[in-house]
Amino acid sequence: MKTNLFLVVLSILLLTSAFAMTEEVNVDLLKQNMMQSADNLTTYAYKRTAESKVVYSNESLKKDFRAVKTTNGKLDLISQAGSWNAQLKDNSNVEVLSWDGYFLNGSEYWKEGKEWTKFAVNDSEEVLEDYNELPGQVALIDYSNMQIVGTDIIDGQEYYKLVGSPKEPVFNGFIGMQLIAAYFPSPFPMPDELKGGNLDINSTDLINNSNIILTAWVSEKDSLLKRLDINSNLSITPEILNITSENFRIQTYINESTTYKDFGSPMKISLPKEAPKNMSSRLEGTDWRWAVFGSLRP
């Protein structure tokens, strides 16, 4: 009995000390350190997995769209080079779309399926910023209401675990993109207010029928972002949109997880041997299925 009591007391003390440690960490200071670490990056790699589900229903119909997107990327800021490979699996027809992007020697190249495209780059720094996506993820965390909820050990290293939600302007932007994307494969017509860009989200009930949760793991050692999960959902009806329409409901869910690694490691970034010397001009448009993840660009 004494042994069991000792273990109970020890467990309480350990939990209390862990809680005190997370309380002592200043979230704002941690965010500042994250921004500095992101600005001092030289190289890194990342992998992202995102799952999307959209359910459409009314009195006589129920239809859903499901897709999974995986992206692998790497960046070398010293050599000003980057690359990514993205695959989108449309589970409704078991079709796989594949895109690759490369930024090398001031030029950008995309491969969609088997077709190659060379871009005319007017601003190399701006394109490189697109490939260097980690600072943007850190900025998202910085502009969110985050709390440190504990610590986790990943690959033998300790990380702070943060949970929160974007602040209002960013939250509204996410919801607006998710709303528009939900109508791309929709069997229901897009409202005229949305087509004309006259729908004011603040005049709707979308915010009260949506949710975005961010979960981040940040290194205790150097404040580098190790992983970021974004989970969002949104419900859409004529009443929620404050429009006059036949009854319907659209429910969207997006679960995305990005893991970063190989900070400061050598990166080999080059065009595949099969890339043609003469490529077509920039492609127009993109497959609408990319848009369900909130962005027209992989």
Side-chain angles (χ1 to χ4, degrees), residues 122-134:
N122 296 321
D123 190 335
S124 296
E125 291 187 4
E126 183 178 348
V127 175
L128 187 62
E129 286 179 2
D130 289 340
Y131 282 75
N132 184 19
E133 61 132 67
L134 190 145

Side-chain angles (χ1 to χ4, degrees), residues 74-247:
K74 52 187 177 180
L75 185 80
D76 185 339
L77 286 165
I78 303 300
S79 300
Q80 294 192 322
S83 68
W84 50 257
N85 164 263
Q87 288 191 331
L88 176 67
K89 182 179 180 181
D90 182 346
N91 291 337
S92 59
N93 57 20
V94 200
E95 182 182 3
V96 177
L97 303 175
S98 179
W99 279 25
D100 298 83
Y102 299 87
F103 181 66
L104 297 162
N105 302 319
S107 298
E108 187 176 17
Y109 310 85
W110 277 16
K111 180 186 179 185
E112 183 181 10
K114 295 182 179 180
E115 298 296 325
W116 282 89
T117 302
K118 183 176 182 179
F119 288 71
V121 176
N122 296 321
D123 190 335
S124 296
E125 291 187 4
E126 183 178 348
V127 175
L128 187 62
E129 286 179 2
D130 289 340
Y131 282 75
N132 184 19
E133 61 132 67
L134 190 145
Q137 300 281 64
V138 171
L140 171 61
I141 295 171
D142 183 49
Y143 208 72
S144 298
N145 297 310
M146 307 293 290
Q147 291 185 337
I148 300 174
V149 298
T151 59
D152 284 334
I153 296 178
I154 305 175
D155 297 331
Q157 296 187 21
E158 292 187 354
Y159 293 84
Y160 295 115
K161 183 179 181 181
L162 291 75
V163 176
S165 183
K167 296 179 181 178
E168 185 176 342
V170 177
F171 190 102
N172 291 357
F174 264 97
I175 296 305
M177 287 192 297
Q178 200 165 341
L179 169 64
I180 294 173
Y183 274 98
F184 279 92
S186 174
F188 312 127
M190 182 179 289
D192 292 336
E193 295 88 343
L194 199 54
K195 284 182 181 179
N198 298 320
L199 184 68
D200 180 8
I201 290 181
N202 293 322
S203 67
T204 71
D205 204 20
L206 277 172
I207 305 304
N208 294 330
N209 287 274
S210 60
N211 194 31
I212 302 174
I213 299 296
L214 306 180
T215 307
W217 286 262
V218 182
S219 172
E220 290 187 12
K221 180 181 179 181
D222 51 24
S223 300
L224 283 169
L225 177 63
K226 175 65 175 179
R227 174 178 164 185
L228 176 63
D229 291 359
I230 303 175
N231 301 305
S232 65
N233 61 75
L234 173 65
S235 294
I236 306 166
T237 66
E239 292 77 17
I240 291 173
L241 292 181
N242 194 24
I243 61 173
T244 302
S245 173
E246 294 184 7
N247 189 40

